[in-house]
Every structure is written in C-alpha cells, then in structure tokens.
C-alpha cells in the first residue's frame, strides 16, 4: 500500500525520467534537425501533455486501488478486532460468573453452618429455659410444701396444746372427784 509521499516520489521519478527523456530527445533533435526546433517544441509539448494526462490517470487509478485496498484491510481489521473483543468479553463474563458461583457456594456453606449453630443455640436456650422453669416450679413446690408443713406444724401444735389442755382438765376433774391420776407414758 502506497502512501501519499510514495505516490509523490513515484510521480517525481516518472517526471524525472520523462524530463531526462525529453532532454535527450531535444538534444538529438537539435543535432538532427537543428532547424526544426520550433516544430519539435510543439511535438514535445504535445508529448508532455499526453504523458502528463497518462500519468495523472495512472496515479488516480493507483490512488483509487489503494483507497479500496485500505478500506477492505481496515474493514477486515475491524472485524477481527470485534471478534477478538467479543471473545475476550465472553471469557471475562464466564470468569466473573464462575467466580460468582464459587462465592455463592462458599457463602451457602457458611450460611448453612451459621444456621446449624443457630439451631444448636436455640436448642441450648430451650433446654436452659426448661431447666429454669423446672427449677422455678421445684422451688415453688418446695415453698408450697414448706407452707403446708408450717400450717400442719401449727395445727399439730394446736392439737397438742388442746390435748395437754384436755389432760389438764381431765386431771383436774379426776382430782376433784378424788380419783388418782393416771400416768400416760
């Protein structure tokens, strides 16, 4: 692919070659036809015009071919770049998704472990609560029994007092009647 400066260089070379050719032709013509300088100048000018127009058309065609070739190469390059970018993006997406899956699995395991520990703590809490409830019930029962025992003790005491009182009165009554007192051992 030729660049603009390459085309200019080719044009300069061609012009140089043409100029050299023209110079040689002119010198030959001067030698051969020294008198016909004027006619030769017209022929040379005509030849220069044809050569210049031919060179311009060749350069224009070359530029068009180069432009078309550059467009196709750029288009192909863009296509390859797009394909490569899509491939790299796809690989990156897969890598990110794979990492997300790995993190999700690890977090799932950790959550399961935390849930298991929480269940164990809940069971431990229920056991402790039941133990406290049982202890409270036991203490209440003991308290109720102590109250019952105290009430029974008072009642027994009252009954014993009544019994002693009854014996005393019986003793008094028997003494009043003159009977000897019986001993209860």
């Amino acid at each position: 692919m030729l660049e603009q400066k390459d085309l200019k260089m080719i044009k300069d070379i061609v012009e140089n070659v043409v100029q050299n050719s023209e110079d040689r032709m002119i010198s030959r013509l001067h030698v051969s036809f020294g008198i016909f300088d004027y006619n030769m100048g017209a022929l040379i000018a005509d030849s220069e015009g044809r050569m210049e127009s031919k060179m311009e058309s060749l350069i224009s065609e070359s530029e068009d071919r180069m432009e078309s070739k550059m467009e196709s190469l750029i288009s192909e390059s863009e296509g390859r770049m797009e394909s490569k970018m899509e491939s790299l993006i796809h690989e990156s997406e897969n890598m990110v998704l794979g990492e997300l899956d790995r993190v999700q699995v690890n977090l799932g395991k950790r959550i399961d472990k935390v849930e298991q520990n929480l269940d164990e703590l809940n069971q431990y809490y229920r056991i402790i609560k039941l133990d406290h409830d049982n202890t409270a019930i036991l203490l209440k029962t003991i308290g109720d029994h102590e109250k019952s025992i105290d009430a029974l003790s008072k009642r027994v005491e009252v009954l014993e007092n009544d019994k002693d009182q009854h014996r005393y009165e019986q003793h008094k009554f028997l003494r009043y009647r003159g009977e000897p007192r019986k001993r209860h051992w």
Side-chain angles (χ1 to χ4, degrees):
M1 292 176 238
L2 298 175
E3 294 183 3
Q4 193 66 20
K5 70 177 188 175
D6 293 333
L7 291 175
K8 177 141 177 60
M9 218 162 72
I10 291 171
K11 182 180 177 185
D12 290 341
I13 291 170
V14 169
E15 283 178 357
N16 219 0
V17 169
V18 168
Q19 185 65 41
N20 287 339
S21 174
E22 285 176 356
D23 289 342
R24 275 186 273 134
M25 284 175 85
I26 289 173
S27 72
R28 282 185 194 159
L29 285 175
H30 278 292
V31 170
S32 303
F33 303 105
I35 307 171
F36 298 102
D37 246 355
Y38 176 74
N39 287 338
M40 210 43 149
L43 288 172
I44 290 172
D46 186 39
S47 175
E48 283 178 350
R50 285 192 312 269
M51 287 176 77
E52 193 174 306
S53 113
K54 182 72 173 171
M55 287 298 289
E56 284 177 1
S57 74
L58 288 173
I59 289 172
S60 176
E61 288 174 12
S62 175
E63 286 176 346
D64 289 343
R65 284 192 308 270
M66 285 194 318
E67 189 177 312
S68 151
K69 185 70 172 171
M70 289 294 287
E71 285 176 359
S72 72
L73 289 174
I74 289 172
S75 176
E76 289 173 10
S77 176
E78 286 175 347
R80 286 190 307 268
M81 283 176 56
E82 277 183 28
S83 171
K84 185 69 174 175
M85 294 275 291
E86 286 176 4
S87 168
L88 290 174
I89 289 171
H90 183 69
E91 287 175 19
S92 295
E93 286 175 348
N94 287 341
M95 188 171 64
V96 167
L97 290 174
E99 186 64 20
L100 282 175
D101 287 343
R102 189 184 67 76
V103 167
Q104 184 178 7
V105 167
N106 286 341
L107 288 178
K109 288 177 182 177
R110 286 183 179 180
I111 288 172
D112 291 343
K113 197 174 220 177
V114 167
E115 286 176 349
Q116 184 181 14
N117 289 342
L118 185 62
D119 288 343
E120 288 176 10
L121 284 174
N122 282 335
Q123 288 174 357
Y124 180 73
Y125 171 76
R126 281 189 222 112
I127 290 169
I128 296 294
K129 187 174 184 267
L130 286 173
D131 190 40
H132 285 296
D133 290 347
N134 288 342
T135 303
I137 291 170
L138 184 62
L139 289 174
K140 186 176 184 300
T141 304
I142 290 171
D144 291 345
H145 286 299
E146 284 178 352
K147 286 179 186 176
S148 297
I149 290 171
D150 286 344
L152 287 173
S153 293
K154 286 180 184 175
R155 200 163 181 199
V156 165
E157 193 176 306
V158 166
L159 287 175
E160 283 182 4
N161 283 341
D162 285 347
K163 188 177 172 185
D164 286 344
Q165 183 70 29
H166 179 69
R167 280 188 192 157
Y168 176 71
E169 286 178 9
Q170 189 180 21
H171 175 66
K172 247 171 106 182
F173 176 74
L174 289 176
R175 240 169 136 206
Y176 176 71
R177 283 177 67 196
E179 291 181 22
R181 191 175 124 188
K182 292 185 186 175
R183 294 210 176 232
H184 300 284
W185 305 91

